[in-house]
Amino acid sequence: MLAQCCFGLSRLLLNRSGVHRAWALGAFGRVSTHPKRGFGYTRRLQDAPGDAGSTDKVTIHFINRDGEKFSAAAKEGDSLLQVVVNQNLSIDGFGACEGALACSTCHLIFDDHTFQQLDPATAEELDMLDLAYGLTDTSRLGCQVHVKKWMDGLTVQVPMEVSDIRRELEVEKQNKQ
């Protein structure tokens, strides 16, 4: 876990400095090639465990920072982060670490009733949530919440603010110019 975190953060910094990420293919396995994401780790989100044989779809609704509403058909067992990535939903900065539990950019806010029905958060998730902007009593990380049939029609809110080092690096880069 710690190795994934360090590897993800070092790769983040290298990617922003213009170093090509092909170096990571060797000892660390395959790198995600999602066209809108410059981040990855050894396993692509599409390769993550889930019920690949399930044909039952669950509809999940996301309310973006600007109030725009997205709906997506999800497979039972997928994480909410996987739903956003696999459906190519336009949620800026969402899931920078691609589910490695190394950031809080997939922070989502649930209503009280839904939050009570979710599986409990792990200590690692709670540690990452401590870094999240706009934290509420019903906040969870989308990479840690997995779709279940009872979630059909669920609506989750993306917080108004996000802690995303990519933005900080971009501002720093622009200030140097």
Side-chain angles (χ1 to χ4, degrees):
M1 178 72 70
L2 182 59
Q4 281 183 339
C5 176
C6 293
F7 177 66
L9 290 175
S10 65
R11 206 135 119 249
L12 167 69
L13 295 172
L14 289 173
N15 281 345
R16 298 308 288 183
S17 67
V19 175
H20 196 276
R21 62 187 177 150
W23 66 272
L25 290 172
F28 294 102
R30 185 174 61 226
V31 175
S32 174
T33 57
H34 192 279
K36 291 190 175 187
R37 301 193 191 293
F39 305 93
Y41 65 109
T42 58
R43 183 180 78 192
R44 294 183 322 161
L45 283 172
Q46 292 83 355
D47 296 338
D51 186 8
S54 176
T55 58
D56 294 334
K57 296 292 183 179
V58 176
T59 302
I60 306 290
H61 307 285
F62 296 86
I63 301 175
N64 207 351
R65 290 178 186 88
D66 61 3
E68 185 177 3
K69 189 172 183 180
F70 300 106
S71 295
K75 290 188 303 188
E76 188 174 9
D78 281 352
S79 71
L80 293 179
L81 174 60
Q82 287 173 297
V83 173
V84 171
V85 171
N86 292 342
Q87 296 290 321
N88 203 23
L89 300 181
S90 182
I91 301 176
D92 186 42
F94 197 82
C97 76
E98 293 189 352
L101 203 53
C103 72
S104 59
T105 58
C106 65
H107 171 205
L108 294 169
I109 301 170
F110 294 84
D111 65 49
D112 290 329
H113 177 70
T114 302
F115 183 81
Q116 296 302 320
Q117 295 180 59
L118 299 175
D119 293 332
T122 63
E124 293 86 1
E125 180 183 0
L126 293 173
D127 287 345
M128 284 290 101
L129 279 168
D130 285 341
L131 303 174
Y133 283 71
L135 190 65
T136 71
D137 290 339
T138 60
S139 291
R140 291 291 303 270
L141 296 180
C143 65
Q144 300 300 301
V145 176
H146 295 273
V147 175
K148 297 183 178 167
K149 286 183 183 182
W150 65 263
M151 294 179 176
D152 193 37
L154 173 71
T155 299
V156 294
Q157 173 76 47
V158 178
M160 297 302 280
E161 293 292 322
V162 65
S163 174
D164 188 349
I165 193 168
R166 295 177 293 182
R167 288 185 185 177
E168 295 170 24
L169 291 172
E170 190 63 34
V171 168
E172 183 179 312
K173 181 179 173 183
Q174 289 176 357
N175 288 341
K176 287 182 181 180
Q177 293 176 349

